[in-house]
Amino acid sequence: MPLEAFLYGGISAVFAELVSFPFDTSKVRLQVQGQVTDASLTDVKYRGSIHTLRVLAVEEGLKAPFNGVRFAAFRQATYGTLRFGMFFSGKSWWKSKGGSDKDLHFLVALGTSAGVVSSVITTPIDRMKVLSQSTAQTKKRTIFKTLSSIYRKGGLKWIVSRQIC
């Protein structure tokens, strides 16, 4: 079961991300418009999710709502795989030690731990996804080129910053 949990968790997370991704891009564009810190984002031109998707398709092409989807799929494959795999492996381990798989305290602690560990590991990938979604992409970059570019600009501190409140 644990290997299946890793596999099914990753596959289902990627599928869900692919289906919902255009709306996530719309949300990011709506959130970053009107910023004073970046001259390319000072205009307020989107009025809602559907309007944002329509403007993206007209101005940047039909692929624009999917800018950053490779980062999102990679993040979800990693995050979903880790989260579900750790949860079900931990649950199997707990049962093998004589614990009940209905022990609410253990399940909450296990689910929280699996979520936190998965989030910490995948946050840098999520930051790359949001950067790709927030502006028009003239050049597609690989995950590793993007990560190395971010590292050169801000170092490891920028990549992992804001992971701890």
Side-chain angles (χ1 to χ4, degrees):
M1 175 61 176
L3 182 59
E4 289 174 340
F6 277 92
L7 185 63
Y8 294 152
I11 291 170
S12 63
V14 170
F15 181 75
E17 185 69 35
L18 293 174
V19 170
S20 65
F21 194 77
F23 292 102
D24 190 41
T25 299
S26 177
K27 175 199 69 150
V28 168
R29 292 288 182 103
L30 285 164
Q31 288 174 330
V32 301
Q33 71 178 344
Q35 302 229 355
V36 294
T37 56
D38 187 341
S40 69
L41 301 173
T42 56
D43 292 341
V44 177
K45 65 179 182 178
Y46 307 119
R47 295 188 308 262
S49 295
I50 302 301
H51 180 256
T52 302
L53 292 173
R54 194 172 28 226
V55 170
L56 286 175
V58 170
E59 292 183 1
E60 299 175 33
L62 293 175
K63 292 181 181 179
F66 291 93
N67 283 344
V69 74
R70 62 194 176 286
F71 300 118
F74 181 59
R75 182 205 184 263
Q76 286 300 343
T78 308
Y79 180 72
T81 299
L82 288 171
R83 187 180 52 179
F84 286 108
M86 288 171 39
F87 180 81
F88 286 108
S89 295
K91 192 173 168 184
S92 294
W93 172 83
W94 182 248
K95 254 181 111 171
S96 74
K97 298 294 182 189
S100 169
D101 65 348
K102 305 221 184 322
D103 181 348
L104 183 62
H105 296 313
F106 176 75
L107 294 175
V108 168
L110 180 61
T112 301
S113 300
V116 167
V117 169
S118 301
S119 290
V120 167
I121 291 170
T122 59
T123 293
I125 303 165
D126 200 42
R127 293 186 82 175
M128 291 186 286
K129 175 191 74 124
V130 172
L131 287 171
S132 294
Q133 291 174 302
S134 63
T135 56
Q137 300 295 301
T138 56
K139 181 177 158 186
K140 301 290 183 214
R141 299 181 74 173
T142 67
I143 291 169
F144 299 107
K145 282 185 180 179
T146 302
L147 188 59
S148 66
S149 172
I150 291 170
Y151 179 78
R152 281 193 308 277
K153 289 179 183 172
L156 185 61
K157 182 179 178 182
W158 191 92
I159 292 172
V160 296
S161 66
R162 296 177 199 69
Q163 286 197 41
I164 301 173
C165 298

